[in-house]
């Protein structure tokens, strides 16, 4: 998602303004300047409020991001759209507890801001002699400090409330799924949360028609697309869990012996190789290490360079589990055994084949994914 104007970088996370953010500025100009006939002062005040609210939106996304960073996830960037922020956080399988913690962090930040603002809002309301909701509504029409504080307070409450709705792709949907995963499986839990997301989106479209508000249908389109992407990622995950790694491993006749000279091991071109003794995997010969040590002469044997800290996985293990192990060990290949004996190797290159295979199975759905990526709506 290379689009967007970079406005800041915080702890390595780029914060970008999506081109569509111009719509928000146009809306502010109309809502604060033209419609109430407040002129330039109204527009400036509107831009000031918009900026303050989006500082809170950035805070919300940074709260997600900082918790994610603490769990060792990569945060790619944060993009601000007219309808809110999107933090692109690495999609890695996590425990339901961690997933819920990452999701909760955003709304909690807005609740804290709202709690801090509450005494100010009360003081301002008391000082202006406001007695009821109508007086409150009148106050937020004004172009002054009181109106500003109340707007910011309401915005933070709404950010928290909206994001806590138990529907994908809102944070509440993730928390809801994490809770459901405890009592059900992840795919079913996701389906329920996605269904609620679609229901909510339809409700927003209906509300948009009823109130003649264009923002609501726009938000609902965003919700539907994001829910779709989320459900697809979960189906891919479920598919990866059902595919045995044996179906995609590269079959190998026997690996190299620990006693072979290192130079023999690179005869077929440098690559990650399994080291076996009597058919049993005893280590791995990593391509990079071989290349780094080849110049040390011909006296080196495979046993001198091999990595003995290697776990092989069974042919019946799922591609999903093998991939997780690769991520956990930070290695690009894993030896595959059958009945305890070496049969072949699964490398990160093979993952491309797995995804191609899945793409054929899921077919045209990927067109939508392209559309969503183009819109820059991927992420959380
Ligand atoms: Zn959030």
């Amino acid at each position: 998602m290379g689009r967007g104007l970079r406005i800041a970088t915080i702890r390595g996370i780029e914060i970008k303004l999506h081109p569509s953010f111009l719509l928000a500025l146009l809306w502010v100009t109309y809502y604060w300047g033209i419609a109430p006939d407040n002129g330039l002062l109204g527009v400036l005040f509107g831009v000031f409020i918009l900026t303050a609210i989006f500082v809170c939106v950035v805070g919300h996304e940074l709260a997600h991001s900082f918790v994610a960073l603490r769990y060792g996830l990569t945060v790619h960037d944060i993009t601000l759209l007219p309808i809110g922020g999107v933090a692109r956080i690495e999609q890695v399988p996590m425990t339901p507890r961690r997933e819920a913690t990452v999701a909760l962090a955003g709304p909690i930040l807005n609740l804290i801001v709202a709690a801090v603002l509450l005494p100010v809002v009360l003081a301002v309301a008391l000082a202006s002699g406001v007695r009821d909701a109508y007086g409150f509504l009148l106050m937020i029409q004004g172009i002054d400090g009181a109106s500003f504080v109340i707007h910011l307070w309401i915005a933070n409450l709404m950010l928290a409330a909206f994001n806590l709705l138990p529907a994908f792709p809102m944070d509440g949907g993730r928390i809801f799924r994490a809770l459901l995963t405890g009592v059900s499986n992840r795919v079913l839990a996701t389906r329920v949360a996605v269904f609620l997301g679609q229901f909510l989106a339809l409700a927003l479209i209906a509300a948009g028609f009823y109130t003649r508000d264009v923002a609501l249908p726009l938000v609902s389109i965003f919700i539907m697309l994001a829910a779709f992407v989320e459900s697809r990622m979960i189906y891919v995950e479920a598919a990866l869990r059902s595919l045995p790694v044996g179906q995609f491993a590269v079959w190998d006749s026997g690996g190299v012996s620990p006693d072979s000279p290192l130079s023999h091991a690179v005869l077929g071109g440098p690559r990650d190789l399994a080291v076996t003794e009597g058919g049993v995997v005893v280590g791995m010969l990593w391509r990079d290490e071989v290349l780094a040590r080849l110049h040390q002469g011909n006296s080196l044997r495979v046993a001198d360079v091999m990595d003995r800290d290697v776990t092989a996985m069974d042919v019946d293990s799922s591609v999903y589990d093998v991939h997780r192990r690769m991520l956990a060990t930070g290695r690009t290949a894993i030896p595959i055994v059958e009945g305890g004996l070496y049969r072949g190797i699964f490398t990160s290159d093979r993952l491309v084949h797995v995804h191609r295979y899945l793409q054929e199975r899921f077919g045209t759905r990927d067109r939508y994914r392209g559309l969503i990526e183009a819109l820059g709506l991927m992420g959380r």
Side-chain angles (χ1 to χ4, degrees):
M1 194 166 80
R3 280 136 43 98
L5 176 73
R6 193 173 75 200
I7 49 173
T9 304
I10 297 172
R11 279 175 66 182
I13 306 165
E14 279 188 1
I15 298 166
K16 296 194 254 187
L17 216 51
H18 193 266
S20 61
F21 203 80
L22 269 176
L23 288 174
L25 288 175
L26 288 178
W27 186 81
V28 158
T29 307
Y30 173 77
Y31 184 84
W32 282 101
I34 298 170
D37 209 10
N38 281 337
L40 185 61
L41 184 69
V43 176
L44 288 176
F45 185 71
V47 171
F48 188 56
I49 286 185
L50 183 76
T51 309
I53 290 174
F54 269 83
V55 167
C56 296
V57 170
V58 169
H60 174 109
E61 300 303 334
L62 281 177
H64 287 308
S65 305
F66 287 170
V67 176
L69 285 178
R70 257 204 21 217
Y71 290 151
L73 305 179
T74 306
V75 179
H76 302 292
D77 50 27
I78 291 171
T79 301
L80 299 178
L81 300 154
I83 54 169
V86 178
R88 285 197 310 142
I89 296 172
E90 184 187 11
Q91 299 284 333
V92 171
M94 279 193 290
T95 61
R97 195 190 181 86
R98 285 189 167 195
E99 186 162 30
T101 311
V102 172
L104 264 174
I108 283 178
L109 182 111
N110 297 119
L111 286 177
I112 291 172
V113 174
V116 168
L117 287 176
L118 182 61
V120 187
V121 170
L122 287 176
V124 163
L126 279 177
S128 334
V130 170
R131 302 196 182 277
D132 49 19
Y134 180 70
F136 206 68
L137 276 178
L138 276 184
M139 268 183 79
I140 61 172
Q141 315 277 314
I143 300 181
D144 51 27
S147 169
F148 172 76
V149 170
I150 295 170
H151 267 100
L152 203 55
W153 181 64
I154 293 174
N156 274 283
L157 284 180
M158 282 174 65
L159 277 170
F162 188 70
N163 278 293
L164 282 173
L165 289 172
F168 264 132
M170 263 69 74
D171 301 326
R174 282 166 209 287
I175 298 162
F176 181 68
R177 178 177 69 183
L179 289 175
L180 275 186
T181 309
V183 291
S184 151
N185 72 62
R186 197 170 147 84
V187 173
L188 184 65
T190 304
R191 265 192 203 150
V192 173
V194 165
F195 172 78
L196 284 174
Q198 283 158 347
F199 182 78
L200 176 78
L202 287 176
L204 285 180
I205 290 176
F209 273 113
Y210 186 71
T211 60
R212 293 167 194 243
D213 185 343
V214 282
L216 291 176
L218 278 179
V219 171
S220 59
I221 290 171
F222 168 75
I223 291 173
M224 280 198 188
L225 286 176
F228 176 80
V229 170
E230 189 75 31
S231 64
R232 193 186 175 283
M233 280 192 312
I234 290 298
Y235 293 139
V236 168
E237 189 184 307
L240 289 180
R241 282 182 197 274
S242 71
L243 294 175
V245 71
Q247 196 179 329
F248 297 95
V250 182
W251 297 105
D252 193 3
S253 49
V256 287
S257 150
D259 300 319
S260 320
L262 194 59
S263 50
H264 278 197
V266 289
L267 283 180
R271 60 203 156 97
D272 299 330
L273 278 173
V275 185
T276 58
E277 218 166 11
V280 177
V281 177
V282 292
M284 278 297 289
L285 204 53
W286 303 113
R287 175 184 182 272
D288 294 345
E289 257 137 73
V290 173
L291 288 177
R293 307 222 10 211
L294 260 183
H295 68 275
Q296 292 181 3
N298 287 333
S299 58
L300 278 180
R301 291 175 316 127
V302 167
D304 300 326
V305 182
M306 75 184 204
D307 175 7
R308 285 165 213 274
D309 185 25
V310 164
T311 347
M313 293 194 74
D314 194 81
V315 278
D316 292 327
S317 315
S318 69
V319 173
Y320 181 81
D321 286 337
V322 173
H323 184 215
R324 276 190 81 170
R325 173 67 61 79
M326 285 161 77
L327 288 174
T329 56
R331 292 297 188 180
T332 51
I334 213 154
I336 305 300
V337 295
E338 187 172 21
L341 295 178
Y342 177 63
R343 287 303 305 273
I345 200 161
F346 185 81
T347 60
S348 46
D349 300 345
R350 300 303 294 169
L351 275 175
V352 178
H353 291 265
V354 176
H355 281 282
R356 214 169 273 158
Y357 171 83
L358 286 179
Q359 240 163 46
E360 275 160 28
R361 251 175 69 174
F362 285 95
T364 52
R365 287 180 168 207
D366 274 291
R367 267 192 239 142
Y368 297 100
R369 192 187 172 86
L371 171 71
I372 290 154
E373 274 170 353
L375 287 169
L377 297 182
M378 287 288 290
R380 156 179 326 242

